[in-house]
Amino acid sequence: MSLQLVHSGKVRELYDAGDGRLLMVASDRISAFDVVLAEPIPDKGRVLTAMTVHWLADLADLAPSHLVTADPAELPAEAAELGGAAGMAGIAGRALLVRRAEMLPLECIVRGYLVGSGWKEYTESRSLHGTPLPAGLQQADRLPEPVFTPSTKATEGHDLNISFEEAVDLVGKEMAEKARDLCVEAYRRAAAAAERQGIIVADTKFELGIIDGELALCDEVLTPDSSRFWPADEWRPGTSPPSFDKQPVRDWLEGSGWDKQPPPPALPAEVVAQTSERYITAYERICGRRLADWYGANG
Ligand code: Q0Z
């Protein structure tokens, strides 16, 4: 019996593993300018999976999580079918067995820097998520304090910001406050660790769920796909800093003359290799661990 697909994202899949469990599989696919490129980035799926496990363990004193195991030996036997010709070795390190949670209908975003939609709001109303900010801030400036800016999963890729009061209407006051406090503290801890390694976590998105009546960290956590990572030495307030992970891909696509309509041009091998290196470096610097020590090495 094959595992049934329950959700398919742009770059990852979620399968029903039975027994109230799900198998979350991160692929090596990468998206840029809203399209998925044809060339996989070697080790990207392992990096995102290893980062999630690192942060779930590091934050375990703050909140329980959905994680059951990342050990390929403990995955359901059918997971091997997802690994292609290599079998279980083909998904080793990029699959997580997790507990199925009752997901909060919220995207729990925390922003530490003024970019993207946060910067746009500031330019229009000198506020962030409705809260007034000091005058004179520039794009990509650090915020005085990290701010919880929840949104709802509206349509694919296009989330709708909601006020804290609207979040309260969706999940109740106690849950909304708990979610906010948990996410802001998790962001503070991760951003401080990354900063010591020369990487800025500009913002991040958490997905929380209820497991056994408790608020738990679910989904991917503090990965390059759920966060904006910037090299600290290239951060210049007033400009939009490069993304730590995807910048080689963006730069090459921008220079290729591509009109941003699918299909995108094929990435040269050196751009693929550079990008893979960036993902591995992000993991090793932010998490202080070697990717060679993670499941699926040399697979
Ligand atoms: C995560 C997603 C993915 C596509 C649902 N522990 C959980 N319990 C219930 N639901 C989820 C989780 Cl993680 C859940 N997503 C996001 C993940 C592929 C979409 F791997 N959706």
Side-chain angles (χ1 to χ4, degrees):
M1 260 293 280
S2 303
L3 298 177
Q4 198 189 310
L5 183 68
V6 291
H7 271 302
S8 190
K10 271 199 274 195
V11 301
R12 58 208 186 111
E13 278 87 37
L14 193 62
Y15 296 88
D16 188 346
D19 234 7
R21 285 160 187 212
L22 299 168
L23 190 72
M24 230 172 57
V25 183
S27 75
D28 286 343
R29 297 191 299 276
I30 190 170
S31 70
F33 302 113
D34 268 343
V35 302
V36 177
L37 305 184
E39 298 71 29
I41 303 299
D43 292 322
K44 176 176 180 274
R46 290 177 62 232
V47 162
L48 270 65
T49 303
M51 270 194 187
T52 292
V53 169
H54 169 85
W55 285 115
L56 291 178
D58 189 80
L59 300 168
D61 61 306
L62 198 59
S65 88
H66 67 160
L67 182 62
V68 175
T69 188
D71 186 344
E74 296 176 17
L75 300 181
E78 302 95 309
E81 293 173 30
L82 308 173
M88 200 62 94
I91 61 156
R94 54 186 191 86
L96 293 183
L97 188 65
V98 302
R99 294 179 66 184
R100 192 189 273 273
E102 174 101 40
M103 300 301 287
L104 299 194
L106 289 180
E107 312 257 321
C108 295
I109 298 164
V110 183
R111 299 171 192 273
Y113 290 75
L114 199 51
V115 280
S117 63
W119 167 243
K120 185 165 182 282
E121 179 184 340
Y122 180 78
T123 60
E124 290 163 0
S125 57
R126 208 224 278 167
S127 63
L128 178 60
H129 209 250
T131 302
L133 285 178
L137 294 180
Q138 301 185 71
Q139 180 180 27
D141 257 336
R142 187 180 187 137
L143 293 164
E145 293 292 331
V147 182
F148 180 64
T149 64
S151 68
T152 52
K153 297 162 236 213
T155 48
E156 176 80 17
H158 297 276
D159 297 338
L160 187 70
N161 272 357
I162 57 169
S163 67
F164 188 75
E165 289 65 39
E166 289 171 294
V168 168
D169 292 341
L170 284 170
V171 301
K173 183 161 189 273
E174 192 183 300
M175 189 61 72
E177 287 177 348
K178 254 181 125 170
R180 177 195 60 200
D181 295 349
L182 162 58
C183 293
V184 168
E185 182 58 18
Y187 170 82
R188 279 187 200 282
R189 283 164 56 161
E195 190 173 28
R196 289 192 287 272
Q197 298 299 320
I199 296 173
I200 290 170
V201 182
D203 49 35
T204 195
K205 175 173 84 184
F206 296 99
E207 303 248 9
L208 307 182
I210 308 291
I211 300 175
D212 290 343
E214 279 205 274
L215 189 59
L217 283 163
C218 294
D219 209 344
E220 59 179 336
V221 176
L222 288 151
T223 73
D225 282 2
S226 67
S227 319
R228 278 192 185 92
F229 294 157
W230 297 334
D233 59 359
E234 293 179 52
W235 171 58
R236 304 273 181 281
T239 68
S240 176
S243 131
F244 191 92
D245 41 289
K246 284 186 187 178
Q247 207 58 38
V249 169
R250 296 217 182 110
D251 289 349
W252 187 83
L253 287 172
E254 290 277 18
S256 71
W258 176 45
D259 62 5
K260 312 255 171 85
Q261 299 307 308
L267 288 182
E270 65 269 24
V271 176
V272 169
Q274 262 176 28
T275 306
S276 175
E277 277 312 309
R278 302 268 286 206
Y279 277 93
I280 295 168
T281 300
Y283 172 67
E284 296 191 338
R285 283 174 48 186
I286 295 173
C287 301
R289 297 171 188 266
R290 304 306 310 246
L291 192 66
D293 296 333
W294 180 246
Y295 300 113
N298 318 307

